[in-house]
Amino acid sequence: MSDPSQSPWLVRHRPRPHARVRLICIPFAGGAASVFRPWSDALPESIEVCAVQLPGRERRLREPLYDAMDPLMRELVAAIGPSLQSGPNPDQPFAIFGHSLGACVGFELARQLRRLYGREPVHLFASARRAPHLPDPAPLHALPEDELAAALRRMGGTPETVLADPELMRIFVPILRADLSVAENYLCPPGPRLRCPMTMLRGDADPMVTKAEALGWREHTRGPFTMRTFAAGHLFLGTHQGQVLELITTALAPVLRAGATPASPLDPTPTHRG
């Protein structure tokens, strides 16, 4: 598939076919592509937001959920990879942003696109997730529903109208459990480190990610590593949207000025396995 606009996996709320950089955005557990709708209007014209739409939500509500990384990644790479080699702008640089679940999915997506298509993102933004070689010390996906709801309240961001409504929870909980299973059971296999710059974003009051766990991301790239900490909890994309988008725009500024950059040789150094 050469045109990402034709794939159910990618949603372009505001298509910008002549943008300098494509920003592939992957939501948190239970989230959907609509989370990134405001970004399409707020980011500059030189950045096109392509939001990943996972099965089981919004227009894909009736499709089966994925609860493991490998099958999910096979389908996602098959949807995105061909557009990096063909279509109206095959040399268009791309960046990846992922929050929580989206951070580990985005990281593995970057690895698989390099392995299968020889393309890496010009920047990887990993938000609100421990480094991918670190096992999850307190997985949530199998908790009884009352304990899962309590954990969601501690994290913040899930409306109480959802948590208190049995019918909404009947729809939401299976999606959330499947997404959490993908993230919590993922440990990256050994492989070469990425070459691209990487920015890790975290909230200083996030109960899911310690500072040490966040800093572990720097083991996974040869490029420059930066960590940005917000005065926030786990789900800060809404409350700190302006700061997040300013950070992304600033980080991508060299690529926006220069356009596509040539690929460099792959790094043979194996990724750390925790």
Side-chain angles (χ1 to χ4, degrees), residues 218-238:
R218 63 186 169 191
E219 298 185 31
H220 296 279
T221 185
R222 289 182 60 198
F225 175 84
T226 304
M227 187 169 79
R228 172 71 181 274
T229 302
F230 299 97
H234 185 66
L235 293 172
F236 53 79
L237 292 188

Side-chain angles (χ1 to χ4, degrees), residues 110-269:
R111 284 163 40 111
Q112 294 302 320
L113 289 175
R114 176 179 60 181
R115 183 177 71 86
L116 296 171
Y117 294 94
R119 294 286 304 276
E120 266 199 35
V122 294
H123 205 108
L124 176 64
F125 300 92
S127 180
R129 183 70 192 170
R130 65 180 53 81
H133 63 276
L134 300 176
D136 198 313
L140 304 177
H141 69 274
L143 288 178
E145 187 168 316
D146 58 339
E147 296 181 31
L148 181 60
L152 294 176
R153 287 188 175 93
R154 289 194 297 273
M155 284 189 286
T158 304
E160 186 61 32
T161 52
V162 174
L163 296 173
D165 187 319
E167 186 61 24
L168 290 177
M169 288 293 281
R170 184 185 65 81
I171 298 170
F172 178 59
V173 167
I175 299 171
L176 182 64
R177 288 194 192 280
D179 288 356
L180 289 172
S181 178
V182 172
E184 293 171 350
N185 289 317
Y186 172 71
L187 280 179
C188 66
R193 289 183 293 170
L194 297 174
R195 300 161 293 157
C196 62
M198 183 185 296
T199 299
M200 197 284 154
L201 298 77
R202 65 179 291 267
D204 61 1
D206 187 348
M208 308 294 290
V209 188
T210 68
K211 182 178 180 180
E213 290 170 336
L215 287 171
W217 280 96
R218 63 186 169 191
E219 298 185 31
H220 296 279
T221 185
R222 289 182 60 198
F225 175 84
T226 304
M227 187 169 79
R228 172 71 181 274
T229 302
F230 299 97
H234 185 66
L235 293 172
F236 53 79
L237 292 188
T239 58
H240 292 70
Q241 176 179 289
Q243 293 169 266
V244 171
L245 297 186
E246 181 181 6
L247 180 154
I248 291 171
T249 304
T250 300
L252 295 179
V255 183
L256 298 177
R257 289 193 298 266
T261 54
S264 57
L266 297 183
D267 171 25
T269 307

Side-chain angles (χ1 to χ4, degrees), residues 1-10 22 60 72-84 109 113 117:
M1 183 174 294
S2 60
D3 184 353
S5 68
Q6 301 303 310
S7 170
W9 287 88
L10 287 179
R22 182 189 305 172
R60 306 189 70 185
L72 168 60
M73 193 54 52
R74 282 194 295 272
E75 296 297 324
L76 184 57
V77 171
I80 294 175
S83 69
L84 304 179
L109 176 63
L113 289 175
Y117 294 94

